[in-house]
């Protein structure tokens, strides 16, 4: 998606440790007009898949998922990272290892909101090592629901997540796939 | 907002310890059509306030804030609960005590995205003791920005947060104010 690549080139900051900072428009401050364009694009790509639910994970996936959901007319469900008092009854659980935050945590969704009839589109801001997405796909599997695919804003193509998931047969649609980044020059190369 | 009260009466669950579970439509599964109605209502209430930014806090405020923001044409900024590698540079910080989760944590926003010229509308799903909202208003104050007001979906009127904030001169607009809840009968009474 050229609009997104242009925005990353304009406002993204490449820094040490293969970090791509896009917190001015994607995952801290959020440009809602841009998110609306993501919604249109994912609608095109998943139009024929009869999506019944959008699944994401707290926190930075939620805003994108909600804007995108408007194009599909379906509810959003977000996986929570720790069990809180506000989740009633039984939950599906899986474990995620976060390299960004250097920790392992459980993610949960209530069984009430993920059913075997559901056709689930997963939405997230980043795909790097793929652990969050694997965890989410595990929740969908546990529920006996169908995973239609994953809509990702920025995939780090030089990490293994996208390959791992595609090898498992998951349809991954990333709006920008970063092939390489140079922290000295700030130059970002994208996969065609 | 009658539509919201009807929905709470239909799908909300009152349980022990003054907990109102609305996770089927508000803060776990999210009914985006309903959120769009929140957006229209807040637009009416804050139309003349020249809002330049919507501020919320992770996680459950984010989805509502993003949908509401479409009515104002402004970006959303969400306060993060812990400092992560993805926040660059200097931040504004305040401390929040969560009774729901029984812990104290810092919230931060990047100084890059909250400026003294900003006219900030805070959006959140719940207002109970008001600690989160006080923390957010502190961030706005630190930035030297103007706090236009707070748009809340459900205020627990029998807790002190709303009164405390209004006493400080904060304009709090809650779409439903719960005056009392009975966990035995499930009956919820609203403030007029």
């Amino acid at each position: 998606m050229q609009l997104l690549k242009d925005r990353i080139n304009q406002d993204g900051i490449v820094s040490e440790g293969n970090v791509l900072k896009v917190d001015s428009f994607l995952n801290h401050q959020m440009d809602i007009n841009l998110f609306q364009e993501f919604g249109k694009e994912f609608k095109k790509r998943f139009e024929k898949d009869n999506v019944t639910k959008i699944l994401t994970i707290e926190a930075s996936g939620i805003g994108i998922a909600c804007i995108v959901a408007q194009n599909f007319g379906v509810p959003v469900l977000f996986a929570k990272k720790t069990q809180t008092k506000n989740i009633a009854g039984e939950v599906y659980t899986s474990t995620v290892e976060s390299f960004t935050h250097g920790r392992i945590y459980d993610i949960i969704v209530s069984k009430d909101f993920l059913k075997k009839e559901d056709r689930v589109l997963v939405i997230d801001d980043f795909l790097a090592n793929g652990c969050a997405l694997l965890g989410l796909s595990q929740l969908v599997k546990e529920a006996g629901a169908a995973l239609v695919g994953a809509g990702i804003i920025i995939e780090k193509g030089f990490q293994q997540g996208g390959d791992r998931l595609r090898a498992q047969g998951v349809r991954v649609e990333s709006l920008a796939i970063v092939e390489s980044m140079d922290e000295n020059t700030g130059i970002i190369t994208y996969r065609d």
Side-chain angles (χ1 to χ4, degrees), chain A:
Chain A
M1 190 187 190
Q2 195 55 46
L3 180 74
L4 173 61
K5 292 178 193 169
D6 291 345
R7 188 61 177 272
I8 296 169
N9 291 338
Q10 181 188 300
D11 292 331
I13 298 166
V14 180
S15 60
E16 211 188 323
N18 276 327
V19 171
L20 175 60
K21 283 179 184 140
V22 285
D23 60 354
S24 64
F25 63 94
L26 192 69
N27 50 16
H28 181 33
Q29 182 167 251
M30 299 183 287
D31 180 338
I32 306 303
N33 294 331
L34 181 66
F35 287 14
Q36 290 173 336
E37 299 304 314
F38 299 160
K40 290 177 200 165
E41 183 64 29
F42 286 132
K43 176 66 180 177
K44 271 189 219 161
R45 299 193 189 192
F46 293 101
E47 186 150 32
K48 295 177 177 167
D49 293 287
N50 301 313
V51 173
T52 64
K53 194 151 291 185
I54 288 181
L55 177 65
T56 188
I57 184 168
E58 61 174 341
S60 46
I62 297 174
I64 301 161
C66 287
I67 299 295
V68 169
Q70 297 176 124
N71 295 77
F72 292 89
V74 302
V76 173
L77 179 64
F78 70 89
K80 300 197 177 197
K81 286 181 179 170
T82 48
Q83 189 144 10
T84 73
K85 288 181 193 166
N86 290 320
I87 297 278
E90 292 296 303
V91 295
Y92 298 114
T93 309
S94 68
T95 301
V96 172
E97 185 171 358
S98 167
F99 292 96
T100 315
H101 300 92
R103 64 192 183 95
I104 291 172
Y105 54 88
D106 285 336
I107 60 172
I108 57 170
V109 296
S110 167
K111 289 184 179 175
D112 291 339
F113 311 129
L114 201 55
K115 299 290 184 187
K116 66 180 194 315
E117 301 76 22
D118 274 318
R119 295 181 55 78
V120 180
L121 172 61
V122 170
I123 295 285
D124 209 358
D125 56 342
F126 267 96
L127 171 58
N129 59 65
C131 289
L133 196 44
L134 281 167
L136 290 170
S137 73
Q138 185 59 37
L139 297 177
V140 175
K141 194 179 286 180
E142 264 196 78
L147 180 63
V148 159
I152 302 296
I153 309 306
I154 302 175
E155 178 179 339
K156 288 178 169 174
F158 53 88
Q159 290 187 240
Q160 305 310 311
D163 293 342
R164 283 167 72 191
L165 282 148
R166 291 184 183 99
Q168 292 186 15
V170 177
R171 180 177 166 205
V172 179
E173 295 279 349
S174 301
L175 301 187
I177 302 180
V178 174
E179 209 59 274
S180 67
M181 316 188 289
D182 187 318
E183 69 185 69
N184 296 312
T185 62
I187 290 172
I188 300 167
T189 312
Y190 299 93
R191 192 179 296 174
D192 279 335

